[in-house]
């Protein structure tokens, strides 16, 4: 379509779709374990599609394990639905757009059999034979891509939408302190005074509780290190933001370049990985370490994953897996 913008191409796909269907229903799906950026991207795209006269359902697969994200969803009235089984017949074949994830990555499995588009900022391993693919790996947040769509459509997002998109950008870039592109800065600037930035800051910065201090205490007393790797496994059930904050916290140690936090309090273990060196990709580390026992992915600096309930692995064995994964990732860089 020549030099047309991504949104123009996207709008062309939508117009073609509208001519083929009568109900105009579109599913917007996040990756399987939605975070702030994924939910904000889905909400922002859903609101834009509604402005374009489509009916929208926002869906995801697995439970949300974040107090601040649940607060964002509740207080911004984001109509996000968890689909734990199969979609109802009305939606099973509805056109589906996957945001902040790709079916080529382990953490995004389309709920609909009719995936028509992927909008993402993660590295995509392989081609996607879909009508529309917009993957911008230079962007720090998928929310910035959706903010660009609003601008290219010459529409102004309402206050709730702007607030969600602003929060998505702030969380995925750690308040513009990591992996920030000029596009993220531009989107942040456009959204800041359209949004309720005070609400967003308050929700995000009050995401822990006094009870979470026990996890900090445990992690500082029960950990393994080898070379530049820090590893700890928490025996209690934790929120997603807690293990993410712990992973960021231990990365501040001068001797450490890669931190791994494993939450082992439930049937499905959750893993958070951070890297502060370009020589070791966090996404590569988590994929290598969890091969055969789970799945994971993310970015070079930040990644996450899960260990399947059927994978019975002890702490020492898992630590050795991550030691080997860090060594392999560094050798293959």
């Amino acid at each position: 379509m020549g030099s047309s913008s991504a949104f123009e191409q996207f709008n062309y796909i939508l117009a073609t779709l509208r001519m083929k269907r009568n109900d105009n229903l579109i599913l917007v799906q996040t990756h399987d374990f939605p975070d702030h950026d994924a939910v904000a991207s889905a909400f922002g795209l859903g609101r834009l599609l509604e402005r374009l006269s489509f009916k929208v359902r926002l869906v995801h697969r697995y439970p949300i394990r974040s107090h601040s994200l649940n607060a964002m969803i509740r207080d911004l009235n984001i109509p996000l639905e968890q689909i734990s089984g199969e979609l109802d017949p009305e939606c099973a074949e509805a056109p589906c757009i996957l945001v902040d994830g790709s079916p080529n990555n382990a953490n995004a499995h389309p709920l609909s059999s009719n995936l028509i588009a992927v909008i993402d900022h993660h590295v995509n391993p392989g081609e996607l034979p879909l009508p529309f693919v917009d993957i911008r790996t230079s962007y720090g947040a998928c929310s910035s891509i959706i903010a660009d769509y609003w601008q290219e459509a010459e529409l102004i997002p309402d206050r709730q939408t702007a607030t969600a998109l602003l929060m998505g950008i702030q969380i995925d870039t750690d308040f513009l302190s990591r992996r920030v592109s000029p596009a993220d800065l531009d989107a942040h600037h456009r959204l800041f005074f359209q949004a309720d930035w005070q609400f967003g800051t308050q929700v995000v910065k009050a995401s822990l509780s006094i009870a979470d201090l026990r996890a900090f205490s445990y992690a500082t007393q029960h950990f393994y290190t080898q070379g530049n790797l820090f590893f700890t496994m928490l025996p209690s059930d934790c929120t997603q933001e807690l293990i993410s904050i712990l992973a960021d916290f231990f990365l501040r140690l001068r001797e450490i370049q890669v931190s791994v936090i494993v939450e082992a309090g439930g049937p499905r273990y959750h893993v958070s990985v951070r890297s502060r060196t370009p020589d070791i990709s966090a996404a590569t580390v988590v994929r290598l370490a969890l091969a055969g026992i789970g799945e994971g992915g993310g970015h070079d600096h930040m990644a996450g994953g899960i260990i399947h309930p059927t994978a019975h692995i002890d702490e020492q064995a898992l630590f050795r897996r991550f030691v080997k994964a860090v060594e392999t990732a560094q050798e293959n860089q």
Side-chain angles (χ1 to χ4, degrees), residues 22 32 48 102 112 187 192 198 228 255 268 289 291 316 320:
N22 295 321
D32 293 344
L48 179 58
S102 165
S112 167
F192 192 82
Q198 292 176 311
N228 56 17
E255 302 89 344
R268 181 186 289 110
Q316 287 278 356
R320 290 193 296 271

Side-chain angles (χ1 to χ4, degrees), residues 28 55 64 122 126 134 163 167 175-176 249 333:
V28 179
K55 293 188 296 183
I64 291 172
H122 298 84
D134 187 5
T163 302
M167 292 176 71
F175 287 85
L176 304 180
F249 176 79
Q333 180 64 30

Side-chain angles (χ1 to χ4, degrees), residues 47 136 143 146 233 235-236 245 276 331:
R47 282 289 179 93
R136 308 184 191 184
S143 293
I146 305 304
M233 180 182 283
S236 56
I245 289 170
R276 61 181 174 91
E331 290 170 359

Side-chain angles (χ1 to χ4, degrees), residues 83-193:
I83 307 295
S84 55
E86 295 184 358
L87 285 165
D88 54 74
E90 177 192 8
C91 296
E93 297 182 3
C96 179
I97 301 168
L98 188 60
V99 295
D100 200 29
S102 165
N104 282 348
N105 289 320
N107 68 338
H109 301 87
L111 285 160
S112 167
S113 60
N114 186 16
L115 185 66
I116 64 164
V118 164
I119 302 169
D120 191 18
H121 69 133
H122 298 84
V123 173
N124 186 61
E127 295 296 321
L128 289 169
L130 301 173
F132 181 78
V133 176
D134 187 5
I135 298 177
R136 308 184 191 184
T137 57
S138 64
Y139 279 49
C142 190
S143 293
S144 299
I145 303 176
I146 305 304
D148 282 356
Y149 284 10
W150 278 89
Q151 184 185 38
E152 291 167 15
E154 298 182 346
L155 295 171
I156 298 175
D158 59 88
R159 191 168 176 81
Q160 289 172 307
T161 303
T163 302
L165 291 173
L166 183 70
M167 292 176 71
I169 295 169
Q170 290 179 333
I171 293 294
D172 248 33
T173 65
D174 195 13
F175 287 85
L176 304 180
S177 68
R178 67 183 175 206
R179 200 171 174 270
V180 185
S181 72
D184 296 303
L185 292 174
D186 289 344
H188 189 277
H189 176 75
R190 293 196 306 271
L191 292 167
F192 192 82
F193 291 107

Side-chain angles (χ1 to χ4, degrees), residues 244-299:
S244 296
I245 289 170
L246 284 169
D248 287 329
F249 176 79
F250 288 109
L251 202 63
R252 293 178 178 269
L253 300 174
R254 287 194 302 270
E255 302 89 344
I256 300 302
Q257 292 187 322
V258 178
S259 62
V260 178
I261 312 297
V262 181
E263 179 265 299
R268 181 186 289 110
Y269 292 4
H270 295 85
V271 181
S272 188
V273 181
R274 297 290 186 273
S275 171
R276 61 181 174 91
T277 171
D279 296 334
I280 304 172
S281 166
T284 300
V285 167
V286 76
R287 281 197 298 267
L288 291 172
L290 302 188
I293 63 170
E295 54 195 43
H299 304 283

Side-chain angles (χ1 to χ4, degrees), residues 13-89:
I13 298 296
L14 295 176
T16 304
L17 185 66
R18 183 182 279 112
M19 289 189 294
K20 293 181 179 180
R21 292 176 62 90
N22 295 321
D23 56 10
N24 283 347
L25 173 66
I26 293 182
L27 299 179
V28 179
Q29 180 182 342
T30 71
H31 61 68
D32 293 344
F33 302 94
D35 54 15
H36 298 74
D37 188 31
V39 172
S41 298
F43 183 49
L45 182 62
R47 282 289 179 93
L48 179 58
L49 290 170
E50 288 174 347
R51 291 276 191 98
L52 300 174
S53 301
F54 284 93
K55 293 188 296 183
V56 179
R57 283 183 65 179
L58 310 182
V59 296
H60 68 101
R61 277 188 180 273
Y62 293 118
I64 291 172
R65 303 172 48 255
S66 164
H67 291 313
S68 62
L69 180 53
N70 278 318
M72 181 179 105
I73 292 169
R74 180 190 66 241
D75 294 343
L76 296 182
N77 297 312
I78 298 176
L80 185 67
E81 307 173 53
Q82 181 189 352
I83 307 295
S84 55
E86 295 184 358
L87 285 165
D88 54 74

